[in-house]
Amino acid sequence: MRAFLPALKGEASSPQWRVIYETGVSFMLLPERMYKVIVIMPKDYTGRFLFEIQKAGIAQVEDVHKFLKDISPGAPLEYFKEISSYELTLSRIIDTFEKYVKRPSGIMELIKPHPPKKFRTRRLSLNDIIKECREYVPKILSKVEALDQDIKGLVDEIEDIRNIISVIEGVPFDDIDFKYLGIREYSVSVIVRVGDVESFKEHASKYNASYVIRSVERGKETIYYALIIAERESWDILLEESPPGLINVIHIPEDAEGFKSEYLETLRARIGDLREKINEKKDEIIKLYHENEEKLKILYDEVRNEKARRMIPSRSGESLYTRTLAFWVPERSLDRFKEIVNSITEGKAVIGIEEAEIGEDAPILLKNPRWAKPFEFLTRLFSLPKYGKVDPTIIIGPIFAIYYGVMLGDFLYGFLVFLLGVLLMRGMGKYSRNIYDFGFLMAASGFTSMATGAIQGSYFGDTFQRFLGVGVPMIYDPFSDPMKLLILSLYIGLFQLNLGMVLSSYQLLREGRVKEFICDRLSWFILQPAGAVLILNFLFGKEFSPIVMKLAYVGVLVGLLLIFMEHKGLGFFEITGFIGEWLSYTRILALDLATSGTAMTINIIIGLLVSATPFLIPVAVVMWLGGHLINAVLQNLGSFVHSLRLQYVEFFGKFYESGGMEFRPFSEIRQFTIIEGEE
């Protein structure tokens, strides 16, 4: 506990942190500052305190033994086991009901979904929860389980009848009344499937069994069946002494009667009756659900939150009179947290606070401006940064959308992506944060593709020019002058790689790793401009003053020396690796040309079809639309993957340290309910 004492006096445990985090750049490039907080309070206040902290949802509970080693472990609060059992039971009841309720599905449900049903309620006390569960849960459980078992029994019966039908349909005895079949006291009349006909005949004759053999052709296979009539005693011996696989008895129910076609109709009618009974039982269970849904779901949410509170003390430490709880609290919530502690415990609690250190196993709460929040989807898709490390969200979000748009490079393809993104945002995105963020990302990428397509005059390739004779405005044509886009791609790549090294330098200097900064980062800042001067001079004939050339020679030597000092014999691969990463950005040009080239090829093929004969115009229109839709899907997939690759491989490889765990506050989880007076 001694490590936490400075914070009790209001002192910052690490002044350097405060300076770094308060810079403008750091505000958007670093996660929220986290504090380790230890609270020691009298046991009597535990329940009320946990209730308020859960309601506030501002702190993440941590195992106290992670902060304090020598402390006695705590135990869950009273009624924990009982509450846990009710949570499982209520969950099972709701799941049983829900499987009989028809839910809307399909593309329209994704675009224009039905809002989830929420019930307004008040928070229930522990006594109310226990009373309701003890009186209500067993009754509703017995009712729903009885109906569910009835339905399962009827479904199993239908499945058994279907199996009987499939067996009887294959039997080639249409002229026998099934009521005469069966094993009786003195005689036997059965249908069997025969493995080997000649062996069967010999075996049946040995025991004086009468038989009729018929065959059925199934594909290239001939299957033999036999109707056997024999004395019961002879049949028993015949069956017992038959070689394996020679005779397989076709089991026909004892209540079967009528010829084959008549009995099959009887069975199918029986299935119809059973389905009606199933529908009646389903109507009963759905009616029961509608009568109890509100009460069930309100009780379930209350039980689940109560269970979460009662479990927390098992992660705490305790003595005879006190309880010790551990939390991670973000800086923005620290004052509120202390206010709750002091208010609930009437000032009788001791609070120890210590700021987390860079790289420590602290939870990550990303801190980005509102416009960049949806782009956090990209960061989470890879992995959150370690605590105190750079969060690249505000950089990779816009850059990803720009790369995606340039690679796709068609106005109408981009419009389809933009439209999809907007529909997702306005549809399921209203109820799912991940879907909203993905929709926003697609809308932004589609918009940049529309802008690129307008610049390049690409609307489903050259559709307007080729088929309608309409000239479209065009600022730049990548086919006539691809070198401009190639050079731009290389400039972009060089900028982003150096931006990654700048961020890496920032992290290295913050952490005092000066030697690594000089050898691994400053070396490249020296080597790149010096190498550019020499390349321009020797390969492209660019003239520079003698002093610039001397500085370039020195810069190259110093840069190479620093790189090889850090990486020894692997320094050569560092250089070739950097060049490979840089050239990787040429995929921006390649993907842009691939989209336009494929679209143009589709249009050329369609043009040839149309020119052959006017009768092919309807076919050509369908092929044109299908071809462009397929191309749009494939090129969108390629643009998405390659844009991600440039972020995750080339850019992240220069600075990013992943592996952070997201901050998960201890808060109420209300899947089905809304507290009255609260949103």
Side-chain angles (χ1 to χ4, degrees), residues 377-517:
F377 174 84
L378 291 173
T379 306
R380 290 189 174 91
L381 188 63
F382 184 82
S383 178
L384 290 173
K386 287 184 178 179
Y387 180 74
K389 305 295 183 175
V390 168
D391 166 25
T393 298
I394 62 171
I395 298 172
I396 65 171
I399 288 179
F400 172 88
I402 292 171
Y403 288 178
Y404 190 120
V406 174
M407 289 178 182
L408 190 57
D410 186 277
F411 185 92
L412 294 178
Y413 289 176
F415 176 74
L416 294 176
V417 179
F418 176 79
L419 182 62
L420 173 64
V422 171
L423 291 175
L424 288 175
M425 291 168 63
R426 297 175 64 86
M428 282 298 294
K430 291 190 290 187
Y431 311 113
S432 170
R433 181 69 198 186
N434 285 335
I435 292 178
Y436 178 88
D437 291 348
F438 180 74
F440 182 90
L441 190 65
M442 289 297 97
S445 302
F447 181 80
T448 58
S449 177
M450 291 165 64
T452 305
I455 291 172
Q456 297 180 165
S458 181
Y459 301 81
F460 279 174
D462 58 348
T463 293
F464 290 160
Q465 302 95 309
R466 185 175 298 276
F467 298 117
L468 302 178
V470 176
V472 296
M474 180 186 299
I475 299 174
Y476 168 69
D477 181 7
F479 283 104
S480 61
D481 189 8
M483 288 302 296
K484 285 184 179 179
L485 184 55
L486 175 63
I487 293 172
L488 177 62
S489 299
L490 291 174
Y491 276 132
I492 290 172
L494 199 61
F495 167 77
Q496 191 171 21
L497 291 175
N498 278 278
L499 178 59
M501 289 192 288
V502 168
L503 295 175
S504 174
S505 301
Y506 170 66
Q507 290 186 154
L508 292 173
L509 291 174
R510 287 176 63 232
E511 297 167 28
R513 295 151 64 184
V514 178
K515 178 179 178 295
E516 191 174 343
F517 160 71

Side-chain angles (χ1 to χ4, degrees), residues 4 7 11-13 17-18 32-38 60 67 327-332 334 352-356 362-363 387:
F4 292 86
E11 300 174 8
S13 56
W17 275 73
R18 191 166 302 278
E32 180 81 23
R33 262 197 300 185
M34 283 289 164
Y35 288 86
K36 296 180 282 188
V37 179
I38 292 290
Q60 176 177 314
F67 295 165
F327 300 90
W328 288 107
V329 183
E331 183 181 36
R332 70 180 72 165
L334 197 56
I353 302 172
E354 183 179 285
E355 189 173 341
Y387 180 74

